[in-house]
Amino acid sequence: MNLLLQHNSQFTIHNSQLKITGSKSETNRLLLLQALYPNITLENISNSDDSQVMINALNSQLASLDSPSTRVTIHNSQLIDVHHAGTAMRFLTAFFAIQEGQEVILTGSSRMKKRPIKILVEALRQLGAEISYLENDGFPPIKIIGKKLTEHKVALPANISSQYISALLLIAPQLENGLELTLEGEITSIPYIKMTLALLSEIGIDSSFIENKIVINRQPTTNNRQLITIESDWSSASYYYSIVALSKVGTQITLSSYKENSLQGDAALVDIYKNFGVETIFTTNSISLSKTTTHNPQPTTYNLNNSPDITQTIAVTCFGLGIGCHLTGLHTLKIKETDRLEALRNELTKLGALVSVTDYSLTLEPPSSDFEMATNVKIKTYQDHRMAMAFAPLALKTTLIIEEAEVVSKSYPTFWDDLKSIGFQISGTP
């Protein structure tokens, strides 16, 4: 499905209000914890494809969902296809490794079969797991035979995807002797690691994180029934920050449900977008984004090591505002749904941008004074939800076509409907 997003120079937004689905990152962590600790009940679960994959995979071992949030029991072996869901692949690898006597094959899309999982598999093997590769060494599909894991010490490179680290932390309290995890080198995406530890703490599981060592003791059960309300997704909010930044002064959009003391690293948007003239006001259960000033035309530099998922949004915002940027800390983006750095370079170049990338950075040159953005450009999404959503705000500056627009269902299925509700002109096109 291709969508035409039409530019309207007279378009303005006045105090629009949207409800954003729960954080995919928090949801998928809590779904796994709920499978391990059935006393947990969840509210505001993400409606993303990735979270549905998690629910289906966990539920496939029993089929005992009482509600959209659930109680899961394990039985029988099965082939489980996670499609494009990288978080599900990593978290479920760890989860099924400790389900004693159960045999599971985890597979995914053709792109998933090219996304590495060797670091996590090797760490689990060091703990005693029985995992084998069925096609290519170091990549899915994998076969897991669940066992009781008795080893408790393991070390990982600290600059890898935090999902590998979180996968181990989530199962740590169920391990026979707990877990002592040493992270070697500079740590990537610390907020996501802290998110995992905070969610463990919320259900009553203590941990220590001192320097580069994380320790979690065994705690196979928790006592009290708990209701946990999941905060809405800050990555999804990023596209509205971009829309407000590219809009006229006076534009306002209110989003719910958000917390000022968020666990999500992408809450860095609040400070970053101040530089683009966007003010964030927190109320009890929401944030209001307002365009208060025109942007600063000076090139800007950001290290996004702790929030790489908003890279595409920021790069596109800077291009739409006509300013240059240098973004670093991006080494994990090459193994996402696509190589996001190359994808950004390719699509921004089509619109007339001058972009260069390395394995860990992106540089967007400021445009010349007579620059005119290309129009009616087809934006390729590379089966990457964030490519589709990050480029959509540019409809405030030019007419463009988003190819395979349905890819947004991976994290934000109602995205296009929500854009229409605030006034974007969107129609299907061949």
Side-chain angles (χ1 to χ4, degrees):
M1 174 182 71
N2 294 349
L3 291 181
L4 174 69
L5 279 63
Q6 293 181 308
H7 172 54
N8 177 357
S9 60
Q10 304 304 313
F11 174 60
T12 57
I13 302 171
H14 298 292
N15 199 23
S16 295
Q17 299 187 28
L18 294 170
K19 169 75 173 177
I20 306 297
T21 186
S23 160
K24 177 167 66 77
S25 297
E26 289 189 28
T27 295
N28 286 357
R29 285 163 170 78
L30 285 165
L31 286 171
L32 190 150
L33 289 174
Q34 187 182 55
L36 298 174
Y37 301 98
N39 57 313
I40 299 170
T41 302
L42 305 178
E43 285 188 345
N44 197 31
I45 287 177
S46 170
N47 64 355
S48 65
D49 286 353
D50 280 17
S51 292
Q52 192 59 54
V53 164
M54 284 287 292
I55 291 171
N56 291 344
L58 295 168
N59 188 46
S60 70
Q61 300 302 316
L62 163 69
S64 177
L65 287 178
D66 299 327
S67 66
S69 60
T70 67
R71 206 168 273 122
V72 183
T73 302
I74 306 301
H75 76 100
N76 295 334
S77 61
Q78 193 168 347
L79 173 69
I80 294 175
D81 187 345
V82 303
H83 307 292
H84 302 303
T87 307
M89 173 61 73
R90 290 153 183 175
F91 288 1
L92 292 172
T93 296
F95 177 81
F96 285 114
I98 63 171
Q99 304 308 316
E100 293 181 53
Q102 303 304 311
E103 184 176 310
V104 171
I105 294 173
L106 285 182
T107 189
S109 64
S110 57
R111 173 61 182 172
M112 183 60 64
K113 292 181 179 182
K114 296 177 182 177
R115 297 179 69 177
I117 199 167
K118 188 170 186 175
I119 290 174
L120 176 59
V121 168
E122 290 304 310
L124 287 165
R125 284 175 171 174
Q126 288 179 48
L127 295 171
E130 186 173 342
I131 305 173
S132 57
Y133 301 108
L134 299 183
E135 293 180 12
N136 296 314
D137 187 68
F139 299 88
I142 56 176
K143 179 179 178 180
I144 306 168
I145 299 176
K147 297 175 61 178
K148 179 185 291 186
L149 306 187
T150 57
E151 299 297 325
H152 71 285
K153 291 186 178 182
V154 70
L156 288 177
N159 64 348
I160 58 171
S161 168
S162 63
Q163 291 176 10
Y164 296 139
I165 298 165
S166 287
L168 296 173
L169 299 180
L170 289 167
I171 65 167
Q174 293 283 324
L175 301 183
E176 186 70 10
N177 296 297
L179 179 68
E180 183 179 305
L181 175 61
T182 301
L183 302 175
E184 299 174 335
E186 182 182 357
I187 303 173
T188 296
S189 300
I190 290 178
Y192 288 98
I193 298 171
K194 290 185 175 179
M195 173 194 291
T196 303
L197 297 176
L199 293 174
L200 285 167
S201 177
E202 192 165 351
I203 67 169
I205 295 170
D206 295 330
S207 63
S208 67
F209 188 0
I210 301 173
E211 295 181 346
N212 275 36
K213 182 176 290 186
I214 302 172
V215 177
I216 300 175
N217 294 324
R218 173 171 168 79
Q219 189 171 332
T221 61
T222 58
N223 296 323
N224 300 323
R225 296 191 62 81
Q226 289 182 278
L227 172 64
I228 298 177
T229 301
I230 299 167
E231 183 186 19
S232 294
D233 189 63
W234 278 93
S235 302
S236 296
S238 75
Y239 313 116
Y240 298 101
Y241 273 91
S242 186
I243 288 168
V244 173
L246 298 177
S247 297
K248 299 174 182 177
V249 171
T251 294
Q252 184 177 56
I253 299 177
T254 299
L255 307 175
S256 61
S257 303
Y258 289 94
K259 305 172 184 175
E260 194 163 4
N261 58 341
S262 176
L263 300 178
Q264 299 173 51
D266 290 345
L269 289 160
V270 174
D271 290 328
I272 291 172
Y273 272 78
K274 285 179 183 177
N275 297 320
F276 304 141
V278 180
E279 181 183 12
T280 305
I281 297 176
F282 286 87
T283 58
T284 303
N285 196 39
S286 64
I287 50 174
S288 290
L289 316 181
S290 301
K291 184 63 178 288
T292 57
T293 61
T294 55
H295 64 275
N296 182 342
Q298 299 301 314
T300 188
T301 297
Y302 295 108
N303 184 333
L304 299 177
N305 188 47
N306 288 334
S307 49
D309 281 346
I310 56 176
T311 299
Q312 289 139 297
T313 309
I314 293 170
V316 171
T317 300
C318 288
F319 175 66
L321 290 173
I323 60 177
C325 65
H326 180 61
L327 309 178
T328 62
L330 311 181
H331 54 281
T332 61
L333 295 189
K334 298 187 75 65
I335 59 168
K336 295 288 188 176
E337 286 79 353
T338 185
D339 179 338
R340 287 180 171 167
L341 295 177
E342 286 298 329
L344 271 172
R345 185 183 64 80
N346 292 343
E347 303 315 301
L348 285 171
T349 299
K350 289 180 185 178
L351 291 158
L354 295 175
V355 185
S356 59
V357 299
T358 68
D359 285 346
Y360 53 83
S361 69
L362 177 145
T363 301
L364 170 69
E365 300 296 337
S368 61
S369 58
D370 59 351
F371 172 77
E372 290 188 12
M373 193 180 300
T375 190
N376 291 308
V377 169
K378 287 187 175 181
I379 301 298
K380 185 176 178 180
T381 53
Y382 305 86
Q383 297 184 325
D384 185 348
H385 54 131
R386 299 205 189 284
M387 287 296 292
M389 293 185 284
F391 276 83
L394 284 183
L396 296 172
K397 299 294 182 179
T398 188
T399 297
L400 70 161
I401 296 166
I402 304 293
E403 296 183 332
E404 297 181 318
E406 69 277 5
V407 74
V408 301
S409 67
K410 186 175 192 297
S411 64
Y412 189 170
T414 61
F415 179 70
W416 301 118
D417 290 336
D418 285 351
L419 285 199
K420 288 179 183 179
S421 76
I422 63 174
F424 275 62
Q425 297 181 39
I426 303 174
S427 59
T429 183

